[in-house]
């Protein structure tokens, strides 16, 4: 069964956050000193995640992405990967990670059947990494990238959140690094979502500005023409190198968004900007039938009309979506809970 929302968007792509905990404190995501964590008892067991995936898969979901928080902080993650990889209708099983713990886990994840890995890498400079993440793990991330390639993963992607005045002087260096390790680099515009309480429009480097900057260095850049619901628009450099830009802030792609998000405690959100979600843990834990779970999911998706990022674009004096007081009262509004 395939279901679509009011804009004809199919339910295909589920991002699964396996923990809200993270081992970095990136300025654009977790800038505060203290956080309110999800209660441990609420975190879904792997069997529960797997059961929910079965329900979503029957409604058309065939792409999964494990995320967090930092997904590798979840103990025994390869066991979950094995369960999800065994599902015949799942054609894409990926993970987004900050890479800090990857060197220890890349091989086990590959052996368990994970298809693809995206690693967040915002800078090639260790001091800058320390300032941006408030942790000293830059070398571990680089080791993680190497281990991922060595483990046999193909199609590695490196995601960089670009912040004006912070790392906007590293776009060329990052593309060159991507070439060296065989990864496609994707530049993400800094978004005003969740915990980005330090966000301001001045700190956003727009996709247009990124392209101008890169053209000054490389010469003419061509768009790659393709039919895709992927968030990144892809571009080709004169030497054929491909890179992507995810322009959620200045040129959002809500109309082709087929993503939804499951938090580690079983809340289901249709949009990163959504205030409300659908609680799936409680029915799951009282052994609701598949049909009962579907009766929560189907109408919610079919009535979906959100265009969160496009609506934000209409606001003239934009400031962070949520203030710190509200985030403390409801950690589900945080990016590290929603999974990015
Ligand atoms: N810990 C993992 C990681 O670092 O990739 C997965 C979770 S993280 C929340 C997922 C993605 O969200 C990362 O690529 C991160 O850079 C991105 N992200 C977080 N806050 C953001 C913001 N304010 N603007 C744009 N991207 C953001």
């Amino acid at each position: 069964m395939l279901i679509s929302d009011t804009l004809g968007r199919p339910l295909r792509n589920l991002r699964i956050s396996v923990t809200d905990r993270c081992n970095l404190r990136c300025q654009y995501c977790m800038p505060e000193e203290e956080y309110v964590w999800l209660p441990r008892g609420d975190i879904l067991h792997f069997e529960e995640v797997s059961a929910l995936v079965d329900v979503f898969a029957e409604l058309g979901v065939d792409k999964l992405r494990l995320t967090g928080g930092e997904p590798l902080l979840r103990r025994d993650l390869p066991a979950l990967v094995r369960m999800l990889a065994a599902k015949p209708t799942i054609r894409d099983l990926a993970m987004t990670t900050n890479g800090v713990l990857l060197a220890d886990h890349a091989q086990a994840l590959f052996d368990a059947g994970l298809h693809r890995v995206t690693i967040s890498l915002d800078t090639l400079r260790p001091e800058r990494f320390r300032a941006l993440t408030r942790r000293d793990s830059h070398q571990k991330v680089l080791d993680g990238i190497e281990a991922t390639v060595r483990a046999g993963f193909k199609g590695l992607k490196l995601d960089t959140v670009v912040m004006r005045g912070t790392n906007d002087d590293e776009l060329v260096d990052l593309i060159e690094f991507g070439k060296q390790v065989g990864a496609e680099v994707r530049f993400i515009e800094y978004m005003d979502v969740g915990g980005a309480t330090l966000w301001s429009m001045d700190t956003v480097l727009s996709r247009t500005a990124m392209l101008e900057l890169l053209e000054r260095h490389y010469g003419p850049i061509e768009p790659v023409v393709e039919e895709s619901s992927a968030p990144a628009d892809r571009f080709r450099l004169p030497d054929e190198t491909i890179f992507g830009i995810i322009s959620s802030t200045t040129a959002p792609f809500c109309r082709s968004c087929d993503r939804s998000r499951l938090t580690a405690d079983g809340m289901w959100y249709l949009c990163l900007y959504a205030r409300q979600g659908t609680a799936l843990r409680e029915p799951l834990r009282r052994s609701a039938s598949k049909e009962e779970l579907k009766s929560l999911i189907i109408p919610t998706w079919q009535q979906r009309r959100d265009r969160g990022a496009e609506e934000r674009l209409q606001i003239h004096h934009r400031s962070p979506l949520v203030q710190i007081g509200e985030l403390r009262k409801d950690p589900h509004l945080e990016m590290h809970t929603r999974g990015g």
Side-chain angles (χ1 to χ4, degrees):
M1 181 180 182
L2 292 178
I3 57 170
S4 300
D5 72 2
T6 59
L7 299 177
R9 296 171 291 193
L11 172 61
R12 294 204 49 199
N13 204 316
L14 185 66
R15 297 177 68 101
I16 303 171
S17 172
V18 292
T19 177
D20 57 331
R21 309 272 171 154
C22 194
N23 44 2
L24 297 181
R25 286 293 178 274
C26 300
Q27 292 291 350
Y28 53 77
C29 188
M30 302 184 75
E32 320 302 336
E33 292 302 326
E34 302 280 340
Y35 283 92
V36 179
W37 306 111
L38 300 175
R40 263 179 205 280
D42 288 355
I43 304 296
L44 298 184
H45 304 297
F46 290 164
E47 291 71 18
E48 293 173 321
V49 174
S50 171
L52 281 179
V53 166
D54 285 338
V55 177
F56 279 104
E58 287 184 17
L59 298 175
V61 166
D62 59 2
K63 293 183 80 175
L64 302 176
R65 178 170 292 275
L66 301 175
T67 176
E70 172 45 41
L72 293 177
L73 287 179
R74 182 75 189 252
R75 198 172 322 140
D76 209 12
L77 193 67
L80 176 63
V81 168
R82 213 168 295 117
M83 289 164 114
L84 302 179
K87 300 187 191 298
T89 53
I90 299 303
R91 61 179 181 89
D92 188 29
L93 177 59
M95 178 182 70
T96 296
T97 169
N98 61 31
V100 174
L101 299 172
L102 251 184
D104 295 336
H105 299 290
Q107 194 62 57
L109 291 163
F110 183 79
D111 295 344
L114 188 68
H115 302 167
R116 297 188 299 121
V117 178
T118 299
I119 302 171
S120 298
L121 179 69
D122 299 322
T123 178
L124 294 168
R125 304 184 193 177
E127 340 67 68
R128 189 172 276 181
F129 182 94
R130 197 177 311 120
L132 189 61
T133 66
R134 289 173 285 165
R135 298 291 185 271
D136 204 2
S137 322
H138 191 249
Q139 188 54 48
K140 285 190 175 163
V141 178
L142 299 183
D143 293 346
I145 293 171
E146 206 188 297
T148 306
V149 176
R150 213 179 324 116
F153 284 103
K154 303 278 178 261
L156 177 66
K157 294 204 173 91
L158 298 177
D159 276 6
T160 302
V161 177
V162 182
M163 298 167 79
R164 200 187 273 281
T166 300
N167 60 350
D168 53 339
D169 54 351
E170 287 195 68
L171 270 56
V172 169
D173 292 349
L174 284 157
I175 286 189
E176 293 303 314
F177 178 76
K179 285 186 201 175
Q180 271 173 37
V181 297
E184 186 170 314
V185 176
R186 305 192 307 174
F187 299 117
I188 308 177
E189 287 181 352
Y190 184 16
M191 294 172 71
D192 53 347
V193 279
T197 51
L198 303 179
W199 184 94
S200 76
M201 199 64 208
D202 296 343
T203 52
V204 177
L205 190 76
S206 70
R207 155 203 165 115
T208 311
M210 291 185 208
L211 287 171
E212 279 170 13
L213 190 154
L214 290 168
E215 282 206 319
R216 275 201 297 278
H217 182 86
Y218 288 109
I221 293 174
E222 282 176 16
V224 175
V225 182
E226 56 193 346
E227 270 287 307
S228 158
S229 67
D233 284 330
R234 297 166 82 227
F235 300 90
R236 185 179 289 112
L237 296 177
D239 71 356
E240 302 291 319
T241 302
I242 306 280
F243 69 95
I245 299 183
I246 302 178
S247 51
S248 326
T249 303
T250 70
F253 42 87
C254 301
R255 270 156 211 287
S256 64
C257 175
D258 59 3
R259 269 163 289 278
S260 66
R261 297 169 162 82
L262 184 67
T263 62
D265 64 343
M267 287 292 290
W268 181 51
Y269 289 93
L270 305 188
C271 177
L272 263 186
Y273 288 95
R275 297 276 178 164
Q276 307 291 337
T278 306
L280 298 177
R281 184 187 70 254
E282 185 278 321
L284 187 71
R285 289 199 172 163
R286 66 172 161 72
S287 306
S289 66
K290 263 188 177 177
E291 292 317 308
E292 196 181 327
L293 290 164
K294 282 185 192 169
S295 74
L296 292 170
I297 296 168
I298 295 173
T300 306
W301 187 267
Q302 285 178 330
Q303 287 156 25
R304 180 184 178 204
R305 53 183 66 253
D306 60 72
R307 294 180 301 110
E310 287 176 1
E311 281 157 14
R312 295 292 291 166
L313 205 55
Q314 310 303 320
I315 300 170
H316 281 309
H317 299 290
R318 235 165 127 169
S319 56
L321 177 73
V322 195
Q323 304 307 317
I324 181 65
E326 223 184 321
L327 288 167
R328 291 214 170 104
K329 275 189 230 138
D330 185 2
H332 288 100
L333 295 168
E334 294 277 6
M335 187 77 148
H336 65 266
T337 310
R338 297 257 169 118

